[in-house]
Amino acid sequence: MRNFLGTLMGSILRVVYNIVSGIGTEPTHVSYYAIAVIITSIIFKLLLLPININQSKSSKKMNEIQPKLKEIQTKYKNDPQTMQVKMQQLYKDNNYNPASGCLVLLIQFPIILAFFAVFREPAKYAFTEPGFYEAMNKSFLWIANLENSDPYLWGMPLLAALTTYLQTKTMPTAQNVDPQTQATQKTMNYFLPVMIFISARSFAAGLALYWIISNLFTIVQQLITNRSLSKVKEEK
């Protein structure tokens, strides 16, 4: 599955590269390959956009019914069977599927792994002709070769961590949850960017560039979705 999806994603990257490289003279500090990585990252996010929007709506719905859900759990804590019946009825009345969030992750996970594989080994999945990838210009701003890690800690690693943190801030926040859950979520919001920063120091810069563009797209998409859902709630 990973090789199949990797080859598919790699084909998209190659097609984009072929189109970009045929436009005109290659910029000095932003190679055709870097431009292709950016455009392909955006195409990838557009393909997943319906799934991500559905996930945002599901999270928003869960936050809305959370107080009633907590009330049921408290009221019927000594009667698990009745609790389950009441919870299922609550989900049905609010048109909410508790498994939808997991389904979204299951769909996205192999695709994300495949895309990581493409940017980790572009010569295997996208530029398969012998010597073609090695001979390509892979510069991007201060980075001479996107195949290597960023030589500066304040560059791609910091941007990858910063955009990851900003993305967590745009996600819907669970309301009326216990303090322990809130503390755990807050810790994860800081822990994840730190882990991304550490990992990006050894990433190929092309992979880090993909991560940054993907995060920026998600941030904009989430802000638009949050605004749209708020308008719908106000109209209701």
Side-chain angles (χ1 to χ4, degrees), residues 29-220:
H29 299 293
V30 182
S31 62
Y32 286 143
Y33 176 64
I35 297 172
V37 168
I38 293 171
I39 294 175
T40 305
S41 301
I42 295 173
I43 291 174
F44 171 58
K45 295 301 294 184
L46 286 172
L47 291 174
L48 289 178
L49 187 58
I51 297 175
N52 289 330
I53 291 176
N54 184 65
Q55 185 180 24
S56 297
K57 290 181 178 178
S58 179
S59 298
K60 192 78 172 179
K61 179 66 69 174
M62 183 59 189
N63 287 340
E64 290 174 0
I65 67 174
Q66 186 67 37
K68 293 182 180 179
L69 184 63
K70 189 174 182 179
E71 182 180 330
I72 291 173
Q73 291 171 335
T74 301
K75 185 175 181 179
Y76 298 101
K77 62 181 180 181
N78 296 322
D79 187 357
Q81 187 173 358
T82 303
M83 181 194 297
Q84 287 300 318
V85 172
K86 294 291 185 180
M87 288 170 59
Q88 291 300 323
Q89 187 61 48
L90 178 64
Y91 295 149
K92 183 178 180 180
D93 292 343
N94 289 273
N95 194 28
Y96 173 75
N97 181 4
S100 60
C102 295
L103 181 61
V104 168
L105 291 176
L106 288 175
I107 293 173
Q108 289 192 75
F109 191 64
I111 300 176
I112 292 173
L113 286 181
F115 230 82
F116 264 65
V118 169
F119 287 118
R120 234 185 347 246
E121 299 179 273
K124 176 180 178 181
Y125 293 104
F127 307 97
T128 56
E129 300 93 326
F132 185 86
Y133 177 71
E134 288 74 12
M136 285 169 50
N137 175 18
K138 296 181 279 290
S139 63
F140 180 69
L141 301 180
W142 64 88
I143 303 171
N145 189 338
L146 286 173
E147 187 176 11
N148 302 324
S149 58
D150 192 325
Y152 303 108
L153 295 180
W154 50 261
M156 291 291 184
L158 183 59
L159 287 173
L162 179 60
T163 54
T164 299
Y165 174 73
L166 292 176
Q167 182 181 334
T168 65
K169 299 299 288 185
T170 63
M171 300 301 292
T173 304
Q175 300 174 353
N176 299 305
V177 296
D178 60 272
Q180 184 177 356
T181 301
Q182 289 182 340
T184 301
Q185 183 62 51
K186 187 175 181 180
T187 300
M188 286 301 299
N189 288 346
Y190 289 104
F191 179 74
L192 182 58
V194 171
M195 289 301 298
I196 292 297
F197 174 77
I198 294 172
S199 300
R201 292 175 62 185
S202 59
F203 279 173
L207 181 55
L209 177 60
Y210 152 71
W211 187 262
I212 293 166
I213 297 300
S214 178
N215 282 342
L216 290 174
F217 184 98
T218 301
I219 290 168
V220 174

Side-chain angles (χ1 to χ4, degrees), residues 53 56-57 60 64 220-236:
I53 291 176
S56 297
K57 290 181 178 178
K60 192 78 172 179
E64 290 174 0
V220 174
Q221 174 250 309
Q222 193 62 53
L223 289 173
I224 294 173
T225 301
N226 290 345
R227 186 175 180 180
S228 299
L229 290 175
S230 297
K231 285 185 176 180
V232 170
K233 186 176 179 180
E234 289 175 1
E235 290 174 358
K236 289 182 178 180

Side-chain angles (χ1 to χ4, degrees), residues 18-34:
N18 289 343
I19 294 173
V20 170
S21 61
I23 292 177
T25 304
E26 187 171 24
T28 304
H29 299 293
V30 182
S31 62
Y32 286 143
Y33 176 64

